[in-house]
Amino acid sequence: DAGVIQSPRHEVTEMGQEVTLRCKPISGHDYLFWYRQTMMRGLELLIYFNNNVPIDDSGMPEDRFSAKMPNASFSTLKIQPSEPRDSAVYFCASSPWGGSQGLNTEAFFGQGTRLTVV
Amino acid sequence: GNSVTQMEGPVTLSEEAFLTINCTYTATGYPSLFWYVQYPGEGLQLLLKATKADDKGSNKGFEATYRKETTSFHLEKGSVQVSDSAVYFCALTGGGNKLTFGTGTQLKVEL
């Protein structure tokens, strides 16, 4: 498997524009996570899905952010309208189910999308 | 809720020095514990993990032992190399696959 694939790798946009980040998780993984990384706040979990269903979106900063997972192989994170303070690296990660014993498993990360809003 | 506290960086060492990065956690139940590493310009990669008390995770010369009595999971390496320069994140999962990360510790290894 090629791993978690994110696109684009870099995005520069003007304030007020809509931005869409894309993620293809590893095939067969049941969980998908969106994280944001900044120098000030470190690594923040924005939202995660289990079997395409959003489970916890409490980390989404405000209504300008939305995420979807229309099928098991694709997810998007959309920011509309974008603002300079949204500039960050956005990571997507996926992980397999931990099994009936609930054994926690590790997440596999994509290489990230570096977003710059000017 | 769950939380992870790790030592602030940057940590600067000479090559072949001994490394310790401290990590403590707060969690209910029996979390799994992880160390992830992030090299410049890349995503996070799993370095090692431990799933129950007294387990020792190890990889690439790095080790960490799950200490339930002290709620700690300190990362150690006996002899660091320049190529180990990166940011190291301690993390845990509890009650499912949701990861809680520490703030990260930057390691710089110099010749």
Side-chain angles (χ1 to χ4, degrees):
Chain A
D1 201 312
V4 176
I5 300 173
Q6 291 186 246
S7 64
R9 289 294 310 275
H10 302 274
E11 177 79 38
V12 180
T13 191
E14 291 185 347
M15 181 174 62
Q17 296 298 306
E18 177 180 297
V19 175
T20 300
L21 311 181
R22 297 173 175 78
C23 175
K24 182 181 187 305
I26 293 173
S27 177
H29 282 190
D30 297 296
Y31 290 84
L32 183 139
F33 307 84
W34 281 101
Y35 288 89
R36 177 172 69 177
Q37 185 177 38
T38 61
M39 289 294 291
M40 291 295 293
R41 293 186 297 272
L43 201 59
E44 304 171 276
L45 176 63
L46 300 177
I47 184 171
Y48 79 98
F49 296 83
N50 178 211
N51 291 325
N52 313 338
V53 176
I55 301 301
D56 183 353
D57 65 354
S58 60
M60 296 286 261
E62 47 198 278
D63 292 345
R64 297 185 298 105
F65 285 70
S66 62
K68 294 182 179 179
M69 191 165 186
N71 57 61
S73 59
F74 185 66
S75 177
T76 59
L77 178 67
K78 184 179 293 186
I79 308 172
Q80 166 63 19
S82 57
E83 297 183 4
R85 60 194 169 114
D86 301 331
S87 298
V89 180
Y90 291 81
F91 288 104
C92 176
S94 69
S95 69
W97 180 50
S100 59
Q101 294 182 331
L103 188 64
N104 298 310
T105 59
E106 66 266 27
F108 295 80
F109 281 74
Q111 292 195 295
T113 295
R114 181 173 294 278
L115 173 65
T116 303
V117 183
V118 297
Chain B
N2 296 340
S3 68
V4 175
T5 302
Q6 57 182 109
M7 61 190 289
E8 296 220 4
V11 173
T12 303
L13 295 173
S14 298
E15 203 170 42
E16 300 184 359
F18 184 85
L19 168 71
T20 300
I21 300 178
N22 290 336
C23 171
T24 57
Y25 68 89
T26 301
T28 55
Y30 301 94
S32 293
L33 302 175
F34 306 85
W35 277 100
Y36 281 81
V37 58
Q38 184 180 28
Y39 298 103
E42 298 185 11
L44 280 71
Q45 349 178 337
L46 179 68
L47 179 60
L48 54 84
K49 70 175 183 179
T51 58
K52 61 182 187 295
D54 299 326
D55 266 3
K56 178 185 284 187
S58 61
N59 186 24
K60 300 180 181 179
F62 291 89
E63 294 183 339
T65 301
Y66 189 142
R67 301 288 188 198
K68 192 165 176 62
E69 64 276 13
T70 54
T71 61
S72 65
F73 193 55
H74 304 322
L75 182 68
E76 296 182 336
K77 186 175 185 182
S79 176
V80 294
Q81 306 298 312
V82 172
S83 57
D84 294 327
S85 298
V87 181
Y88 293 82
F89 292 88
C90 186
L92 65 82
T93 58
N97 284 43
K98 178 180 173 181
L99 273 165
T100 299
F101 283 95
T103 53
T105 302
Q106 184 175 13
L107 171 65
K108 298 180 181 179
V109 181
E110 302 173 335
L111 289 171

